[in-house]
Amino acid sequence: MKSLFFLLCLLPFIGLSQTTIVKGFVKDEKGDPIPFARVRFVGTKIGDLTDSTGAYFLQSYYATDSINIQFIGFQPQSLKIKKDIEQTINVTMRVQSTDYKDVVVMISSESPAVALHKKVIANKPINNKEKLDAYQYKLYNKIQLDINNLGEKFTQNGLVKRMDLVMNYLDSTSDGNTYLPVILTESISDFFFKNKPKQKKEVVQATKITGIENVQVNQFLGDMYLDLNVYDNIYDLFNKSFISPLAPFARSYYQFVLEDSTFIGSDWCYKLRFEPKRTGDLAFTGEMWINDTTYAVKQIKASISPDANLNYIQNFYFEHFFEQVQNEIWMLTEERLILEFRLTEESKILGMFGRKYSKRSDFVINQAKENSFYTTNSVEFSDSAKIRTPDYWQKNRPITLNVQEKHIEEMVDSLSKTSFYQSMKKLVYFGTTGYFQFNKIELGNATSLISKNPVENYRVALALRTSNDFSKRLELGGRVAYGFGDEKLKYAAKIRYNITPQKRGMLTGIYSYDIEQIGQSPTAASMGSTFATVFNTAPFDKLTFVNKIGLNLEKDIKKDLILYGGFEWKSYTPLGLANYQRVLNFDTVNVSNIKTFEFIGRVRWTKGEEFISGYFDRTSLRSVYPIFSIQAIIGMKNMFGSEYNYQRLEFQMEHNTQLGMLGRMRYGVTAGYIFGTTAYPFLKVHEGNQSLWLLTSTFNKLNFMEFISDKYITGFIENHWEGLFFDRIPLVKKLNLRLVSTGRILYGDISQKHEQAMLIPDFVKRFNGIPYMETSVGIENIMKVIRVDLVWRMTHPIPGQSPFGIRARYAFNF
């Protein structure tokens, strides 16, 4: 059962229905035509009456595997047909005998609601819009964001009270919660879909965002990224997998009740109510109206179950309205979504309402365009999309904006002048970045102001960078630090310039004169981090003083293809146990520092990947496809004192995927090979972790510089089981705990030829045919933010140390 469920969650519909055509003649045994005979697909209301010549013609997406022929005085017949093709079936009917037998009436034990749901599921492939070869439509989208949970402190603020415009905009929900609209977005676009292969494209004809200054999210306001298909088995929302009430296995998770029937427009429909069978399941409560002939969804209204194991989302509600735009072609025409975000249900901290309304019209069905039309950017903007006049919006907007929506920009401008708003804005920015903004300058970083390590003892640091008020294309930054142990001043500088804002091209120059830990994960807290150095599990006794200069360019070639190229010059000076030694004339000599000059090239591709972009930084929106990356690093001898010739080639793959009720899985593999000869710090120093902070991108029981390789392969798999187990334990399920499990493996080797460049220290271990493996099991969502893992080092034990360890982290997850 679990295997079947797993497959159902992972696999899309394999065979989508085509039109079935059945035609022919109905005659009696003498060969005479029978006019007005009823011919229909068995189990449906789709049929035809024969004409005066006895001819009939059936065409439908909703064909079953048989047709039934009936006429008074003749024996009914049922004949098998072939679906999804055109065929001719001629029928000869026999006169019905008058010798009747007893009729036995059987009462079905199956409830009407279950019988109706089975018919809906049977017709899903037919009613799903993705059965079509192609479609297009005109789309209007409106999204509004409101601040809610304001409380009396805000409304009683003297400056706010004097702003009549702001006070006029305050509104209340039915439960008395005060909210204030702050962002309104609108877009008008043409949306295109083509099957075989599936391709989408959206051409934005008009777009505007009014309200609080925001990141560049225009491209995410259409159907490319906000499209919820009710016929999907799983709804991927908030990085969770919700069971659809229209899934084939939905009856295992929902109770269905047939409540009513009536006309909706010209369509006779049945009302089917649904609610979860168990608390804690990621499911919905709501109702849907089903058309009685096609068993298509006419309307659906649903909200997330109030007992779902979900953080911060206090409510998510959606309404979908469908129309038959052509015979047997049902399309979504109108949609409403409402989202309420708050830390907790009783929280007094500001929350947010999100509302979406969309209207689709002007449908064109099964008229595909050339393939070249779809292979360009998935979202395009017409030249005048961002400069449309009020008259254009008045003419093309399918609804009328209310007074609040019309003047939201004026209201936000007034609100932004209040000290309350300015304080909240700076506080949120500081909490998410560690930097505090002073007009055109930002000071930080809060996470590295004070730290400690064996070389510097106590260390203080201060970072400085320009804000977006200084420039939206150029960023200047720097850092100074001082160690009281070594009495040395460290410093760094960074310049970023976006050379092509329309299609990101970020040019970055760096200079650094500071202490680093070689073999520390790029996602780990740095040596200057307070957390990493205070809550450590082993001494940082293999540090390196690094003098580094670099220049690189990250360029978007297409929406999902990123190229990276640059160079770095580095000088390493060992500190602590990380000494550098060579054999010279049969004598072992110490080396004070080593230098290298590297060219770096990288290609990164993920099908369908998109980003939410700020002016300098951006966040990837998780694609359903794997991330592939190939990187080449070339060390050039004699370039600015560089001492080594070597070439490093590395391949990476990582994938995040939803598993339905089995949670979500992240897995990946990395493989690399280093050609040539170089010093061990420039080989692959496998990333470790020497802090109590749990890292999700590396080995948590591996020490720094414990393994070094010139050929290697690593793999990992992590599964977040969500509430699958804990939600089924009485009392415990109230805590909304979630199980997570992880496995990691590493194997590599190092050639003795690198001893010619530098002796490999004794603290570096060899694999000796045994891979390094560790696994962990943990509980996450403790108090909604904390995750604690028990990590087991399965191989290569360290004498005198336990193979088990506790690691923890905090993260905000829905």
Side-chain angles (χ1 to χ4, degrees):
M1 177 64 186
K2 289 185 177 179
S3 300
L4 176 60
F5 176 76
F6 181 77
L7 291 173
L8 288 171
C9 290
L10 290 180
L11 297 180
F13 294 116
I14 296 174
L16 295 179
S17 295
Q18 307 286 330
T19 300
T20 300
I21 297 176
V22 185
K23 60 182 179 178
F25 292 89
V26 178
K27 299 181 178 180
D28 61 18
E29 293 177 292
K30 297 179 180 178
D32 295 329
I34 301 178
F36 306 112
R38 174 72 172 174
V39 185
R40 64 181 179 87
F41 291 111
V42 173
T44 75
K45 297 183 180 181
I46 301 168
D48 188 24
L49 295 177
T50 57
D51 61 16
S52 59
T53 66
Y56 72 93
F57 182 88
L58 299 179
Q59 180 176 358
S60 179
Y61 285 108
Y62 300 92
T64 56
D65 61 357
S66 305
I67 59 172
N68 180 265
I69 308 96
Q70 292 181 335
F71 190 70
I72 297 174
F74 289 85
Q75 295 179 6
Q77 291 192 44
S78 292
L79 302 174
K80 289 289 185 180
I81 64 167
K82 295 181 179 180
K83 296 172 66 174
D84 303 334
I85 65 171
E86 181 177 339
Q87 57 211 282
T88 300
I89 297 180
N90 295 318
V91 182
T92 300
M93 301 192 73
R94 294 181 174 83
V95 176
Q96 190 171 27
S97 170
T98 58
D99 184 16
Y100 296 105
K101 296 180 181 180
D102 293 340
V103 177
V104 179
V105 179
M106 302 293 292
I107 300 176
S108 174
S109 61
E110 186 175 69
S111 74
V114 170
L116 177 60
H117 188 263
K118 286 183 176 180
K119 291 186 176 181
V120 173
I121 298 305
N123 287 279
K124 265 183 61 173
I126 307 168
N127 292 316
N128 193 338
K129 62 186 179 182
E130 296 191 4
K131 73 180 180 184
L132 302 171
D133 292 332
Y135 60 80
Q136 67 185 72
Y137 50 77
K138 182 177 181 180
L139 170 69
Y140 169 78
N141 257 327
K142 180 184 73 172
I143 299 175
Q144 179 178 321
L145 299 181
D146 312 323
I147 296 176
N148 68 4
N149 207 31
L150 291 172
E152 294 184 2
K153 183 177 179 181
F154 177 82
T155 56
Q156 296 302 316
N157 183 289
L159 185 56
V160 173
K161 291 174 69 175
R162 291 193 295 272
M163 293 182 179
D164 294 337
L165 187 62
V166 174
M167 294 301 293
N168 291 338
Y169 270 67
L170 291 174
D171 206 342
S172 299
T173 59
S174 57
D175 58 3
N177 186 14
T178 304
Y179 68 90
L180 181 70
V182 290
I183 296 179
L184 178 69
T185 73
E186 291 183 279
S187 67
I188 298 174
S189 58
D190 296 314
F191 183 83
F192 303 86
F193 172 86
K194 178 181 179 296
N195 221 333
K196 298 178 183 178
K198 284 184 169 56
Q199 293 175 305
K200 299 178 181 180
K201 183 173 181 179
E202 190 163 6
V203 180
V204 180
Q205 303 296 344
T207 180
K208 66 176 181 177
I209 303 178
T210 56
I212 293 175
E213 181 182 357
N214 49 80
V215 294
Q216 302 168 11
V217 296
N218 305 62
Q219 66 266 41
F220 305 105
L221 305 181
D223 261 20
M224 293 298 298
Y225 314 102
L226 299 172
D227 187 19
L228 174 64
N229 186 349
V230 298
Y231 287 106
D232 287 342
N233 292 340
I234 300 294
Y235 301 158
D236 289 334
L237 300 168
F238 319 115
N239 204 26
K240 306 291 182 187
S241 294
F242 288 80
I243 298 295
S244 164
L246 292 169
F249 44 84
R251 292 187 297 279
S252 298
Y253 297 89
Y254 288 94
Q255 291 279 4
F256 291 94
V257 179
L258 184 61
E259 284 192 341
D260 198 1
S261 60
T262 189
F263 276 104
I264 300 179
S266 59
D267 299 307
W268 184 258
C269 299
Y270 301 108
K271 182 181 179 182
L272 195 62
R273 174 162 289 280
F274 51 89
E275 60 182 32
K277 286 184 174 181
R278 292 176 295 272
T279 60
D281 281 352
L282 295 176
F284 291 88
T285 298
E287 64 184 43
M288 51 185 165
W289 288 87
I290 307 300
N291 177 251
D292 77 324
T293 302
T294 63
Y295 299 102
V297 175
K298 175 70 175 179
Q299 294 180 8
I300 182 170
K301 301 177 182 180
S303 60
I304 290 176
S305 169
D307 299 314
N309 190 338
L310 190 67
N311 296 330
Y312 316 127
I313 305 300
Q314 300 304 317
N315 191 21
F316 176 79
Y317 171 83
F318 71 89
E319 297 178 355
H320 280 190
F321 301 89
F322 295 82
E323 295 291 341
Q324 201 165 186
V325 298
Q326 287 186 14
N327 185 37
E328 299 185 348
I329 305 294
W330 290 86
M331 298 293 287
L332 176 64
T333 57
E334 198 169 1
E335 176 184 33
R336 290 184 177 87
L337 286 86
I338 299 176
L339 167 73
E340 182 181 3
F341 173 89
R342 208 187 308 170
L343 290 181
T344 65
E345 189 173 356
E346 304 298 328
S347 173
K348 297 185 181 300
I349 301 175
L350 294 180
M352 184 188 74
F353 279 132
R355 311 163 192 263
K356 176 192 174 187
Y357 171 82
S358 66
K359 180 76 173 178
R360 297 161 176 81
S361 59
D362 302 340
F363 292 90
V364 178
I365 305 298
N366 289 335
Q367 296 183 25
K369 297 184 179 295
E370 296 294 329
N371 287 335
S372 58
F373 174 82
Y374 301 93
T375 54
T376 56
N377 289 337
S378 59
V379 179
E380 291 184 356
F381 291 85
S382 67
D383 294 338
S384 54
K386 299 179 182 180
I387 55 173
R388 294 295 189 183
T389 65
D391 290 340
Y392 175 91
W393 285 101
Q394 186 71 23
K395 180 180 179 181
N396 291 275
R397 184 187 288 123
I399 59 173
T400 302
L401 298 183
N402 60 36
V403 175
Q404 289 179 328
E405 293 169 336
K406 288 180 180 178
H407 300 286
I408 190 171
E409 190 169 18
E410 183 182 354
M411 184 279 304
V412 170
D413 183 62
S414 298
L415 177 65
S416 64
K417 296 176 182 178
T418 67
S419 58
F420 176 85
Y421 170 79
Q422 291 293 336
S423 299
M424 288 301 302
K425 181 180 178 182
K426 290 181 179 180
L427 183 62
V428 170
Y429 187 78
F430 177 75
T432 54
T433 67
Y435 283 83
F436 198 87
Q437 184 176 354
F438 297 93
N439 297 323
K440 297 182 180 181
I441 299 296
E442 297 176 2
L443 291 178
N445 186 328
T447 61
S448 58
L449 292 176
I450 301 175
S451 58
K452 185 179 180 181
N453 63 69
V455 173
E456 297 175 292
N457 197 3
Y458 285 99
R459 165 189 169 116
V460 294
L462 182 67
L464 178 81
R465 69 185 185 190
T466 57
S467 69
N468 292 343
D469 291 339
F470 172 79
S471 174
K472 293 179 174 59
R473 293 184 65 180
L474 175 66
E475 180 190 72
L476 307 176
R479 181 185 71 249
V480 292
Y482 183 78
F484 292 94
D486 62 356
E487 299 182 346
K488 269 191 175 184
L489 186 69
K490 293 88 179 175
Y491 41 87
K494 185 176 184 179
I495 300 175
R496 292 198 291 178
Y497 182 68
N498 194 351
I499 60 176
T500 54
Q502 292 298 322
K503 188 177 288 188
R504 180 184 171 96
M506 190 62 69
L507 182 66
T508 303
I510 60 169
Y511 175 77
S512 179
Y513 182 77
D514 206 345
I515 291 177
E516 293 185 13
Q517 174 63 66
I518 307 301
Q520 190 172 39
S521 170
T523 60
S526 67
M527 273 310 302
S529 166
T530 304
F531 191 97
T533 55
V534 174
F535 297 97
N536 60 299
T537 58
F540 288 82
D541 53 8
K542 306 179 187 69
L543 299 176
T544 304
F545 205 104
V546 179
N547 192 7
K548 177 167 55 179
I549 301 174
L551 182 69
N552 61 72
L553 175 65
E554 184 182 78
K555 185 73 179 75
D556 291 1
I557 304 303
K558 296 198 306 180
K559 69 181 183 67
D560 50 10
L561 178 64
I562 301 171
L563 298 185
Y564 176 97
F567 70 85
E568 280 189 359
W569 176 87
K570 295 180 285 191
S571 174
Y572 284 7
T573 301
L575 303 172
L577 298 180
N579 53 16
Y580 298 164
Q581 294 182 328
R582 289 180 183 147
V583 175
L584 187 62
N585 297 325
F586 302 102
D587 290 329
T588 300
V589 297
N590 292 322
V591 179
S592 60
N593 65 74
I594 54 176
K595 299 180 181 68
T596 187
F597 183 88
E598 296 177 338
F599 286 105
I600 306 168
R602 182 167 61 245
V603 179
R604 183 182 188 277
W605 177 74
T606 306
K607 182 179 179 181
E609 184 179 32
E610 298 289 348
F611 296 87
I612 293 181
S613 300
Y615 294 108
F616 296 97
D617 300 303
R618 60 183 180 178
T619 299
S620 173
L621 296 178
R622 184 173 56 88
S623 172
V624 298
Y625 300 99
I627 301 171
F628 295 98
S629 174
I630 298 178
Q631 177 174 264
I633 299 176
I634 303 175
M636 303 289 290
K637 190 174 182 179
N638 299 324
M639 292 283 289
F640 304 101
S642 174
E643 305 171 53
Y644 309 102
N645 271 325
Y646 58 94
Q647 305 82 38
R648 176 173 164 181
L649 189 64
E650 185 175 88
F651 167 81
Q652 286 186 327
M653 185 278 292
E654 184 174 327
H655 188 205
N656 286 275
T657 186
Q658 300 293 121
L659 302 179
M661 291 303 292
L662 296 179
R664 53 190 170 92
M665 178 188 293
R666 185 173 68 95
Y667 63 93
V669 63
T670 300
Y673 194 95
I674 298 175
F675 304 87
T677 303
T678 188
Y680 75 85
F682 303 136
L683 297 173
K684 174 62 176 179
V685 181
H686 296 290
E687 290 86 356
N689 181 22
Q690 292 182 188
S691 77
L692 295 175
W693 181 260
L694 176 70
L695 297 178
T696 60
S697 60
T698 192
F699 297 88
N700 284 283
K701 285 288 289 180
L702 187 70
N703 290 326
F704 297 136
M705 305 184 81
E706 189 172 349
F707 288 101
I708 297 176
S709 304
D710 61 2
K711 41 188 171 292
Y712 53 91
I713 184 168
T714 69
F716 73 91
I717 182 169
E718 180 179 73
N719 201 86
H720 297 260
W721 299 91
E722 304 298 348
L724 181 63
F725 299 104
F726 290 125
D727 284 351
R728 283 153 177 78
I729 303 176
L731 301 180
V732 174
K733 67 180 181 181
K734 294 182 179 181
L735 300 175
N736 284 339
L737 301 178
R738 302 166 186 170
L739 184 70
V740 58
S741 57
T742 308
R744 295 184 179 275
I745 186 169
L746 160 65
Y747 187 74
D749 196 11
I750 184 170
S751 172
Q752 292 300 316
K753 66 181 181 181
H754 299 293
E755 298 267 16
Q756 303 171 14
M758 181 173 292
L759 295 178
I760 298 172
D762 293 337
F763 55 74
V764 176
K765 294 182 178 180
R766 301 297 197 273
F767 289 95
N768 295 324
I770 301 174
Y772 174 84
M773 294 187 295
E774 67 179 41
T775 185
S776 66
V777 60
I779 299 175
E780 58 182 351
N781 208 44
I782 302 171
M783 296 186 292
K784 296 186 182 296
V785 295
I786 299 173
R787 170 179 167 182
V788 179
D789 278 28
L790 174 64
V791 185
W792 176 27
R793 178 170 173 148
M794 302 175 66
T795 58
H796 295 280
I798 299 176
Q801 291 188 16
S802 171
F804 298 97
I806 300 294
R807 301 291 184 269
R809 66 182 285 116
Y810 69 86
F812 293 93
N813 294 313
F814 292 114

